[in-house]
Amino acid sequence: ISERTQATFDSNIANLVDSHIEPEGYLTDFDKSEIIEYLNTNLIKTTKLEVEEIEDMKSEEEVKAYLTEKVKEDYIAKTKEIPKEIIAEFEKAIALRVIDEAWVDHIGAMEHLREGIGLRGYGQTNPLQAYTMEGYEIFENLLNKIDSDTSLFLLKAEIRQNIERKQTLKGTAND
């Protein structure tokens, strides 16, 4: 796995687990079953995970490490017969497309925020401070969306090589 893809998987799993920690402050059995269901539905194709595999894990870090390893194993199993150059090109194309789409959406969201930020002064809040805080939150969401979408595309897609076959005829051609 390339370093960028590995970091994307790590970040996506970390965001997934972290999003389930609140409001209790820890992962409940229901949270763990939701995480496993999401992984089996969206990220893992070759093997299916069971809730029992992470049921006894106490720390979130342990769950993150285990799930990340399972996702990486699945990706490696899926791509083991494909040349590394093709995988690298595929990963690059997916990442660029996801980043491009997310960046366009981000620009639109920031423009929308800028248009409405002046009204914050009427609500007794500093518009500059509100714009900074909300802009940072939108940017964090952008990074999370990029990691999530890139992981989804890479793990759901099927990599195929285009093999061009030429038929050769033996004999003479009729004119």
Side-chain angles (χ1 to χ4, degrees), residues 85-129:
E85 300 81 29
I86 292 173
I87 293 172
E89 197 63 35
F90 176 72
E91 290 172 353
K92 183 173 102 176
I94 293 293
L96 287 174
R97 180 180 174 137
V98 168
I99 291 169
D100 184 46
E101 289 177 7
W103 188 250
V104 169
D105 292 344
H106 177 72
I107 291 172
M110 290 302 291
E111 186 175 316
H112 182 69
L113 176 63
R114 188 183 69 217
E115 289 173 358
I117 205 69
L119 300 174
R120 301 297 169 95
Y122 296 123
Q124 302 299 320
T125 59
N126 182 352
L128 180 60
Q129 187 178 20

mmCIF file of all heavy atoms in Angstrom, residues 85-129:
data_model
loop_
_atom_site.group_PDB
_atom_site.id
_atom_site.type_symbol
_atom_site.label_atom_id
_atom_site.label_comp_id
_atom_site.label_asym_id
_atom_site.label_seq_id
_atom_site.Cartn_x
_atom_site.Cartn_y
_atom_site.Cartn_z
ATOM 1 N N GLU A 85 2.576 -0.400 -10.491
ATOM 2 C CA GLU A 85 2.472 0.840 -11.272
ATOM 3 C C GLU A 85 1.013 1.164 -11.576
ATOM 4 O O GLU A 85 0.599 2.324 -11.530
ATOM 5 C CB GLU A 85 3.240 0.728 -12.599
ATOM 6 C CG GLU A 85 4.718 0.458 -12.467
ATOM 7 C CD GLU A 85 5.048 -1.014 -12.228
ATOM 8 O OE1 GLU A 85 4.286 -1.898 -12.681
ATOM 9 O OE2 GLU A 85 6.050 -1.276 -11.557
ATOM 10 N N ILE A 86 0.247 0.136 -11.887
ATOM 11 C CA ILE A 86 -1.163 0.350 -12.208
ATOM 12 C C ILE A 86 -1.925 0.759 -10.948
ATOM 13 O O ILE A 86 -2.770 1.654 -10.982
ATOM 14 C CB ILE A 86 -1.768 -0.916 -12.847
ATOM 15 C CG1 ILE A 86 -1.123 -1.116 -14.217
ATOM 16 C CG2 ILE A 86 -3.280 -0.812 -12.959
ATOM 17 C CD1 ILE A 86 -1.483 -2.395 -14.897
ATOM 18 N N ILE A 87 -1.619 0.128 -9.833
ATOM 19 C CA ILE A 87 -2.271 0.487 -8.564
ATOM 20 C C ILE A 87 -1.943 1.931 -8.190
ATOM 21 O O ILE A 87 -2.825 2.688 -7.787
ATOM 22 C CB ILE A 87 -1.848 -0.479 -7.440
ATOM 23 C CG1 ILE A 87 -2.390 -1.869 -7.726
ATOM 24 C CG2 ILE A 87 -2.332 0.022 -6.089
ATOM 25 C CD1 ILE A 87 -1.882 -2.926 -6.791
ATOM 26 N N ALA A 88 -0.691 2.312 -8.355
ATOM 27 C CA ALA A 88 -0.292 3.686 -8.031
ATOM 28 C C ALA A 88 -1.032 4.690 -8.906
ATOM 29 O O ALA A 88 -1.500 5.732 -8.419
ATOM 30 C CB ALA A 88 1.215 3.847 -8.180
ATOM 31 N N GLU A 89 -1.161 4.389 -10.178
ATOM 32 C CA GLU A 89 -1.869 5.272 -11.100
ATOM 33 C C GLU A 89 -3.355 5.353 -10.734
ATOM 34 O O GLU A 89 -3.966 6.424 -10.766
ATOM 35 C CB GLU A 89 -1.692 4.771 -12.532
ATOM 36 C CG GLU A 89 -2.027 5.775 -13.590
ATOM 37 C CD GLU A 89 -1.138 7.008 -13.557
ATOM 38 O OE1 GLU A 89 0.058 6.904 -13.239
ATOM 39 O OE2 GLU A 89 -1.661 8.102 -13.855
ATOM 40 N N PHE A 90 -3.931 4.213 -10.382
ATOM 41 C CA PHE A 90 -5.330 4.149 -9.974
ATOM 42 C C PHE A 90 -5.564 4.972 -8.705
ATOM 43 O O PHE A 90 -6.504 5.767 -8.639
ATOM 44 C CB PHE A 90 -5.719 2.685 -9.754
ATOM 45 C CG PHE A 90 -7.114 2.488 -9.248
ATOM 46 C CD1 PHE A 90 -8.204 2.692 -10.065
ATOM 47 C CD2 PHE A 90 -7.326 2.087 -7.940
ATOM 48 C CE1 PHE A 90 -9.492 2.508 -9.592
ATOM 49 C CE2 PHE A 90 -8.605 1.902 -7.459
ATOM 50 C CZ PHE A 90 -9.691 2.108 -8.287
ATOM 51 N N GLU A 91 -4.705 4.793 -7.703
ATOM 52 C CA GLU A 91 -4.827 5.540 -6.452
ATOM 53 C C GLU A 91 -4.710 7.036 -6.698
ATOM 54 O O GLU A 91 -5.453 7.834 -6.123
ATOM 55 C CB GLU A 91 -3.769 5.092 -5.453
ATOM 56 C CG GLU A 91 -3.987 3.701 -4.912
ATOM 57 C CD GLU A 91 -2.835 3.191 -4.073
ATOM 58 O OE1 GLU A 91 -1.780 3.867 -4.008
ATOM 59 O OE2 GLU A 91 -2.978 2.119 -3.473
ATOM 60 N N LYS A 92 -3.778 7.410 -7.562
ATOM 61 C CA LYS A 92 -3.581 8.832 -7.872
ATOM 62 C C LYS A 92 -4.811 9.411 -8.559
ATOM 63 O O LYS A 92 -5.270 10.503 -8.205
ATOM 64 C CB LYS A 92 -2.345 8.992 -8.754
ATOM 65 C CG LYS A 92 -2.009 10.438 -9.069
ATOM 66 C CD LYS A 92 -0.696 10.535 -9.795
ATOM 67 C CE LYS A 92 -0.951 10.752 -11.249
ATOM 68 N NZ LYS A 92 0.241 10.954 -12.048
ATOM 69 N N ALA A 93 -5.368 8.683 -9.525
ATOM 70 C CA ALA A 93 -6.541 9.175 -10.258
ATOM 71 C C ALA A 93 -7.742 9.341 -9.323
ATOM 72 O O ALA A 93 -8.444 10.351 -9.385
ATOM 73 C CB ALA A 93 -6.877 8.221 -11.405
ATOM 74 N N ILE A 94 -7.949 8.363 -8.457
ATOM 75 C CA ILE A 94 -9.075 8.444 -7.510
ATOM 76 C C ILE A 94 -8.879 9.618 -6.554
ATOM 77 O O ILE A 94 -9.795 10.414 -6.321
ATOM 78 C CB ILE A 94 -9.221 7.127 -6.723
ATOM 79 C CG1 ILE A 94 -9.655 5.984 -7.644
ATOM 80 C CG2 ILE A 94 -10.187 7.285 -5.554
ATOM 81 C CD1 ILE A 94 -11.030 6.096 -8.206
ATOM 82 N N ALA A 95 -7.678 9.744 -5.992
ATOM 83 C CA ALA A 95 -7.406 10.822 -5.038
ATOM 84 C C ALA A 95 -7.592 12.190 -5.689
ATOM 85 O O ALA A 95 -8.210 13.086 -5.094
ATOM 86 C CB ALA A 95 -6.000 10.686 -4.463
ATOM 87 N N LEU A 96 -7.079 12.374 -6.890
ATOM 88 C CA LEU A 96 -7.222 13.662 -7.563
ATOM 89 C C LEU A 96 -8.677 14.006 -7.854
ATOM 90 O O LEU A 96 -9.101 15.150 -7.680
ATOM 91 C CB LEU A 96 -6.402 13.677 -8.857
ATOM 92 C CG LEU A 96 -4.894 13.758 -8.674
ATOM 93 C CD1 LEU A 96 -4.189 13.619 -10.027
ATOM 94 C CD2 LEU A 96 -4.493 15.050 -7.996
ATOM 95 N N ARG A 97 -9.426 13.014 -8.267
ATOM 96 C CA ARG A 97 -10.835 13.269 -8.567
ATOM 97 C C ARG A 97 -11.599 13.651 -7.296
ATOM 98 O O ARG A 97 -12.389 14.599 -7.287
ATOM 99 C CB ARG A 97 -11.462 12.048 -9.216
ATOM 100 C CG ARG A 97 -12.908 12.267 -9.553
ATOM 101 C CD ARG A 97 -13.521 11.065 -10.182
ATOM 102 N NE ARG A 97 -14.934 11.319 -10.345
ATOM 103 C CZ ARG A 97 -15.616 11.018 -11.416
ATOM 104 N NH1 ARG A 97 -15.010 10.446 -12.418
ATOM 105 N NH2 ARG A 97 -16.890 11.270 -11.478
ATOM 106 N N VAL A 98 -11.381 12.910 -6.224
ATOM 107 C CA VAL A 98 -12.075 13.190 -4.963
ATOM 108 C C VAL A 98 -11.681 14.567 -4.428
ATOM 109 O O VAL A 98 -12.542 15.345 -4.002
ATOM 110 C CB VAL A 98 -11.781 12.081 -3.925
ATOM 111 C CG1 VAL A 98 -12.230 12.491 -2.545
ATOM 112 C CG2 VAL A 98 -12.445 10.783 -4.344
ATOM 113 N N ILE A 99 -10.394 14.881 -4.455
ATOM 114 C CA ILE A 99 -9.927 16.179 -3.961
ATOM 115 C C ILE A 99 -10.512 17.306 -4.797
ATOM 116 O O ILE A 99 -10.955 18.331 -4.258
ATOM 117 C CB ILE A 99 -8.387 16.236 -3.946
ATOM 118 C CG1 ILE A 99 -7.848 15.299 -2.858
ATOM 119 C CG2 ILE A 99 -7.886 17.656 -3.722
ATOM 120 C CD1 ILE A 99 -6.353 15.074 -2.923
ATOM 121 N N ASP A 100 -10.548 17.134 -6.109
ATOM 122 C CA ASP A 100 -11.095 18.166 -6.994
ATOM 123 C C ASP A 100 -12.563 18.432 -6.682
ATOM 124 O O ASP A 100 -12.969 19.584 -6.517
ATOM 125 C CB ASP A 100 -10.924 17.741 -8.454
ATOM 126 C CG ASP A 100 -11.380 18.812 -9.422
ATOM 127 O OD1 ASP A 100 -11.018 19.990 -9.225
ATOM 128 O OD2 ASP A 100 -12.109 18.477 -10.382
ATOM 129 N N GLU A 101 -13.364 17.377 -6.572
ATOM 130 C CA GLU A 101 -14.791 17.546 -6.280
ATOM 131 C C GLU A 101 -15.008 18.155 -4.894
ATOM 132 O O GLU A 101 -15.843 19.042 -4.725
ATOM 133 C CB GLU A 101 -15.512 16.208 -6.378
ATOM 134 C CG GLU A 101 -15.646 15.700 -7.797
ATOM 135 C CD GLU A 101 -16.304 14.334 -7.866
ATOM 136 O OE1 GLU A 101 -16.775 13.825 -6.822
ATOM 137 O OE2 GLU A 101 -16.338 13.768 -8.966
ATOM 138 N N ALA A 102 -14.242 17.685 -3.917
ATOM 139 C CA ALA A 102 -14.400 18.203 -2.559
ATOM 140 C C ALA A 102 -13.979 19.671 -2.482
ATOM 141 O O ALA A 102 -14.600 20.467 -1.769
ATOM 142 C CB ALA A 102 -13.590 17.357 -1.575
ATOM 143 N N TRP A 103 -12.927 20.035 -3.211
ATOM 144 C CA TRP A 103 -12.450 21.412 -3.173
ATOM 145 C C TRP A 103 -13.472 22.362 -3.796
ATOM 146 O O TRP A 103 -13.713 23.456 -3.279
ATOM 147 C CB TRP A 103 -11.102 21.524 -3.878
ATOM 148 C CG TRP A 103 -10.494 22.879 -3.703
ATOM 149 C CD1 TRP A 103 -10.330 23.840 -4.650
ATOM 150 C CD2 TRP A 103 -9.987 23.436 -2.481
ATOM 151 N NE1 TRP A 103 -9.758 24.952 -4.101
ATOM 152 C CE2 TRP A 103 -9.532 24.737 -2.769
ATOM 153 C CE3 TRP A 103 -9.880 22.960 -1.186
ATOM 154 C CZ2 TRP A 103 -8.978 25.560 -1.802
ATOM 155 C CZ3 TRP A 103 -9.328 23.787 -0.221
ATOM 156 C CH2 TRP A 103 -8.878 25.070 -0.542
ATOM 157 N N VAL A 104 -14.106 21.939 -4.876
ATOM 158 C CA VAL A 104 -15.138 22.773 -5.507
ATOM 159 C C VAL A 104 -16.300 22.971 -4.529
ATOM 160 O O VAL A 104 -16.811 24.086 -4.377
ATOM 161 C CB VAL A 104 -15.612 22.128 -6.834
ATOM 162 C CG1 VAL A 104 -16.855 22.822 -7.365
ATOM 163 C CG2 VAL A 104 -14.497 22.171 -7.872
ATOM 164 N N ASP A 105 -16.706 21.902 -3.858
ATOM 165 C CA ASP A 105 -17.773 22.021 -2.863
ATOM 166 C C ASP A 105 -17.352 22.928 -1.710
ATOM 167 O O ASP A 105 -18.155 23.712 -1.198
ATOM 168 C CB ASP A 105 -18.143 20.642 -2.310
ATOM 169 C CG ASP A 105 -18.817 19.752 -3.335
ATOM 170 O OD1 ASP A 105 -19.279 20.277 -4.373
ATOM 171 O OD2 ASP A 105 -18.885 18.524 -3.097
ATOM 172 N N HIS A 106 -16.088 22.828 -1.301
ATOM 173 C CA HIS A 106 -15.572 23.647 -0.205
ATOM 174 C C HIS A 106 -15.590 25.132 -0.575
ATOM 175 O O HIS A 106 -15.967 25.972 0.250
ATOM 176 C CB HIS A 106 -14.153 23.206 0.146
ATOM 177 C CG HIS A 106 -13.514 24.032 1.213
ATOM 178 N ND1 HIS A 106 -13.899 23.969 2.536
ATOM 179 C CD2 HIS A 106 -12.512 24.951 1.161
ATOM 180 C CE1 HIS A 106 -13.168 24.815 3.244
ATOM 181 N NE2 HIS A 106 -12.321 25.417 2.439
ATOM 182 N N ILE A 107 -15.199 25.450 -1.773
ATOM 183 C CA ILE A 107 -15.212 26.846 -2.216
ATOM 184 C C ILE A 107 -16.636 27.396 -2.177
ATOM 185 O O ILE A 107 -16.879 28.514 -1.717
ATOM 186 C CB ILE A 107 -14.585 26.979 -3.619
ATOM 187 C CG1 ILE A 107 -13.086 26.714 -3.531
ATOM 188 C CG2 ILE A 107 -14.868 28.347 -4.222
ATOM 189 C CD1 ILE A 107 -12.394 26.619 -4.875
ATOM 190 N N GLY A 108 -17.593 26.588 -2.635
ATOM 191 C CA GLY A 108 -18.994 27.007 -2.583
ATOM 192 C C GLY A 108 -19.480 27.210 -1.159
ATOM 193 O O GLY A 108 -20.193 28.167 -0.860
ATOM 194 N N ALA A 109 -19.083 26.304 -0.249
ATOM 195 C CA ALA A 109 -19.495 26.417 1.151
ATOM 196 C C ALA A 109 -18.884 27.652 1.798
ATOM 197 O O ALA A 109 -19.555 28.354 2.576
ATOM 198 C CB ALA A 109 -19.089 25.160 1.920
ATOM 199 N N MET A 110 -17.630 27.952 1.494
ATOM 200 C CA MET A 110 -16.985 29.138 2.065
ATOM 201 C C MET A 110 -17.616 30.417 1.507
ATOM 202 O O MET A 110 -17.766 31.400 2.234
ATOM 203 C CB MET A 110 -15.481 29.116 1.786
ATOM 204 C CG MET A 110 -14.732 28.051 2.563
ATOM 205 S SD MET A 110 -14.912 28.169 4.353
ATOM 206 C CE MET A 110 -14.007 29.671 4.681
ATOM 207 N N GLU A 111 -17.982 30.406 0.249
ATOM 208 C CA GLU A 111 -18.648 31.573 -0.340
ATOM 209 C C GLU A 111 -20.009 31.788 0.324
ATOM 210 O O GLU A 111 -20.383 32.918 0.644
ATOM 211 C CB GLU A 111 -18.819 31.358 -1.841
ATOM 212 C CG GLU A 111 -19.375 32.565 -2.568
ATOM 213 C CD GLU A 111 -19.411 32.341 -4.064
ATOM 214 O OE1 GLU A 111 -18.427 31.821 -4.615
ATOM 215 O OE2 GLU A 111 -20.436 32.697 -4.669
ATOM 216 N N HIS A 112 -20.728 30.704 0.551
ATOM 217 C CA HIS A 112 -22.029 30.792 1.228
ATOM 218 C C HIS A 112 -21.858 31.315 2.655
ATOM 219 O O HIS A 112 -22.648 32.147 3.122
ATOM 220 C CB HIS A 112 -22.692 29.410 1.232
ATOM 221 C CG HIS A 112 -24.044 29.391 1.848
ATOM 222 N ND1 HIS A 112 -25.142 29.992 1.264
ATOM 223 C CD2 HIS A 112 -24.478 28.852 3.003
ATOM 224 C CE1 HIS A 112 -26.188 29.817 2.033
ATOM 225 N NE2 HIS A 112 -25.817 29.127 3.106
ATOM 226 N N LEU A 113 -20.838 30.855 3.345
ATOM 227 C CA LEU A 113 -20.554 31.322 4.705
ATOM 228 C C LEU A 113 -20.221 32.808 4.697
ATOM 229 O O LEU A 113 -20.708 33.567 5.535
ATOM 230 C CB LEU A 113 -19.396 30.518 5.308
ATOM 231 C CG LEU A 113 -18.904 30.946 6.688
ATOM 232 C CD1 LEU A 113 -20.005 30.776 7.732
ATOM 233 C CD2 LEU A 113 -17.669 30.144 7.072
ATOM 234 N N ARG A 114 -19.403 33.227 3.729
ATOM 235 C CA ARG A 114 -19.004 34.640 3.656
ATOM 236 C C ARG A 114 -20.211 35.543 3.409
ATOM 237 O O ARG A 114 -20.303 36.639 3.963
ATOM 238 C CB ARG A 114 -17.969 34.820 2.549
ATOM 239 C CG ARG A 114 -17.379 36.214 2.536
ATOM 240 C CD ARG A 114 -16.418 36.435 1.407
ATOM 241 N NE ARG A 114 -17.181 36.436 0.165
ATOM 242 C CZ ARG A 114 -16.747 35.912 -0.978
ATOM 243 N NH1 ARG A 114 -15.572 35.366 -1.053
ATOM 244 N NH2 ARG A 114 -17.487 35.953 -2.057
ATOM 245 N N GLU A 115 -21.163 35.067 2.584
ATOM 246 C CA GLU A 115 -22.340 35.873 2.295
ATOM 247 C C GLU A 115 -23.214 36.096 3.533
ATOM 248 O O GLU A 115 -23.791 37.157 3.705
ATOM 249 C CB GLU A 115 -23.177 35.209 1.199
ATOM 250 C CG GLU A 115 -22.531 35.270 -0.165
ATOM 251 C CD GLU A 115 -23.281 34.458 -1.202
ATOM 252 O OE1 GLU A 115 -24.303 33.807 -0.861
ATOM 253 O OE2 GLU A 115 -22.841 34.447 -2.358
ATOM 254 N N GLY A 116 -23.288 35.071 4.402
ATOM 255 C CA GLY A 116 -24.174 35.176 5.551
ATOM 256 C C GLY A 116 -23.500 35.600 6.838
ATOM 257 O O GLY A 116 -24.187 35.800 7.848
ATOM 258 N N ILE A 117 -22.210 35.774 6.820
ATOM 259 C CA ILE A 117 -21.488 36.040 8.069
ATOM 260 C C ILE A 117 -21.765 37.441 8.618
ATOM 261 O O ILE A 117 -21.703 37.660 9.829
ATOM 262 C CB ILE A 117 -19.968 35.792 7.903
ATOM 263 C CG1 ILE A 117 -19.322 35.470 9.247
ATOM 264 C CG2 ILE A 117 -19.282 36.973 7.259
ATOM 265 C CD1 ILE A 117 -19.724 34.167 9.814
ATOM 266 N N GLY A 118 -22.108 38.367 7.774
ATOM 267 C CA GLY A 118 -22.380 39.733 8.226
ATOM 268 C C GLY A 118 -23.573 39.815 9.165
ATOM 269 O O GLY A 118 -23.661 40.718 10.005
ATOM 270 N N LEU A 119 -24.475 38.859 9.043
ATOM 271 C CA LEU A 119 -25.662 38.855 9.903
ATOM 272 C C LEU A 119 -25.324 38.471 11.341
ATOM 273 O O LEU A 119 -26.131 38.680 12.240
ATOM 274 C CB LEU A 119 -26.701 37.882 9.347
ATOM 275 C CG LEU A 119 -27.202 38.202 7.938
ATOM 276 C CD1 LEU A 119 -28.113 37.097 7.443
ATOM 277 C CD2 LEU A 119 -27.902 39.547 7.902
ATOM 278 N N ARG A 120 -24.149 37.923 11.570
ATOM 279 C CA ARG A 120 -23.759 37.514 12.917
ATOM 280 C C ARG A 120 -23.602 38.717 13.846
ATOM 281 O O ARG A 120 -23.748 38.590 15.048
ATOM 282 C CB ARG A 120 -22.444 36.728 12.901
ATOM 283 C CG ARG A 120 -22.487 35.493 12.073
ATOM 284 C CD ARG A 120 -23.520 34.518 12.643
ATOM 285 N NE ARG A 120 -23.767 33.436 11.733
ATOM 286 C CZ ARG A 120 -23.169 32.276 11.784
ATOM 287 N NH1 ARG A 120 -22.295 32.050 12.726
ATOM 288 N NH2 ARG A 120 -23.462 31.352 10.910
ATOM 289 N N GLY A 121 -23.289 39.862 13.268
ATOM 290 C CA GLY A 121 -23.163 41.078 14.076
ATOM 291 C C GLY A 121 -24.471 41.431 14.760
ATOM 292 O O GLY A 121 -24.471 41.965 15.871
ATOM 293 N N TYR A 122 -25.586 41.121 14.093
ATOM 294 C CA TYR A 122 -26.893 41.385 14.698
ATOM 295 C C TYR A 122 -27.156 40.449 15.873
ATOM 296 O O TYR A 122 -27.931 40.756 16.762
ATOM 297 C CB TYR A 122 -28.016 41.216 13.663
ATOM 298 C CG TYR A 122 -27.932 42.221 12.545
ATOM 299 C CD1 TYR A 122 -27.841 41.801 11.219
ATOM 300 C CD2 TYR A 122 -27.958 43.585 12.805
ATOM 301 C CE1 TYR A 122 -27.774 42.713 10.187
ATOM 302 C CE2 TYR A 122 -27.880 44.506 11.782
ATOM 303 C CZ TYR A 122 -27.790 44.067 10.470
ATOM 304 O OH TYR A 122 -27.716 44.970 9.454
ATOM 305 N N GLY A 123 -26.514 39.305 15.870
ATOM 306 C CA GLY A 123 -26.686 38.326 16.942
ATOM 307 C C GLY A 123 -25.687 38.503 18.072
ATOM 308 O O GLY A 123 -25.474 37.593 18.856
ATOM 309 N N GLN A 124 -25.026 39.642 18.120
ATOM 310 C CA GLN A 124 -24.074 39.986 19.166
ATOM 311 C C GLN A 124 -22.845 39.061 19.190
ATOM 312 O O GLN A 124 -22.297 38.782 20.242
ATOM 313 C CB GLN A 124 -24.754 39.994 20.545
ATOM 314 C CG GLN A 124 -25.920 40.946 20.682
ATOM 315 C CD GLN A 124 -25.511 42.404 20.455
ATOM 316 O OE1 GLN A 124 -24.462 42.834 20.880
ATOM 317 N NE2 GLN A 124 -26.359 43.151 19.749
ATOM 318 N N THR A 125 -22.448 38.564 18.023
ATOM 319 C CA THR A 125 -21.202 37.794 17.931
ATOM 320 C C THR A 125 -20.276 38.497 16.963
ATOM 321 O O THR A 125 -20.722 39.192 16.046
ATOM 322 C CB THR A 125 -21.441 36.346 17.455
ATOM 323 O OG1 THR A 125 -22.061 36.372 16.164
ATOM 324 C CG2 THR A 125 -22.321 35.566 18.418
ATOM 325 N N ASN A 126 -19.003 38.318 17.165
ATOM 326 C CA ASN A 126 -18.004 38.922 16.304
ATOM 327 C C ASN A 126 -17.998 38.173 14.969
ATOM 328 O O ASN A 126 -17.677 36.982 14.929
ATOM 329 C CB ASN A 126 -16.635 38.824 16.994
ATOM 330 C CG ASN A 126 -15.544 39.471 16.184
ATOM 331 O OD1 ASN A 126 -15.742 39.880 15.048
ATOM 332 N ND2 ASN A 126 -14.358 39.554 16.793
ATOM 333 N N PRO A 127 -18.341 38.835 13.854
ATOM 334 C CA PRO A 127 -18.402 38.142 12.569
ATOM 335 C C PRO A 127 -17.059 37.542 12.147
ATOM 336 O O PRO A 127 -17.031 36.448 11.574
ATOM 337 C CB PRO A 127 -18.836 39.233 11.585
ATOM 338 C CG PRO A 127 -19.477 40.271 12.412
ATOM 339 C CD PRO A 127 -18.809 40.212 13.748
ATOM 340 N N LEU A 128 -15.964 38.219 12.433
ATOM 341 C CA LEU A 128 -14.653 37.698 12.054
ATOM 342 C C LEU A 128 -14.337 36.412 12.817
ATOM 343 O O LEU A 128 -13.859 35.430 12.240
ATOM 344 C CB LEU A 128 -13.572 38.746 12.309
ATOM 345 C CG LEU A 128 -12.139 38.340 11.957
ATOM 346 C CD1 LEU A 128 -12.039 37.991 10.475
ATOM 347 C CD2 LEU A 128 -11.166 39.445 12.315
ATOM 348 N N GLN A 129 -14.629 36.436 14.097
ATOM 349 C CA GLN A 129 -14.375 35.246 14.914
ATOM 350 C C GLN A 129 -15.286 34.093 14.476
ATOM 351 O O GLN A 129 -14.854 32.947 14.379
ATOM 352 C CB GLN A 129 -14.595 35.567 16.382
ATOM 353 C CG GLN A 129 -14.197 34.442 17.311
ATOM 354 C CD GLN A 129 -14.378 34.828 18.772
ATOM 355 O OE1 GLN A 129 -15.116 35.751 19.097
ATOM 356 N NE2 GLN A 129 -13.695 34.117 19.637
#
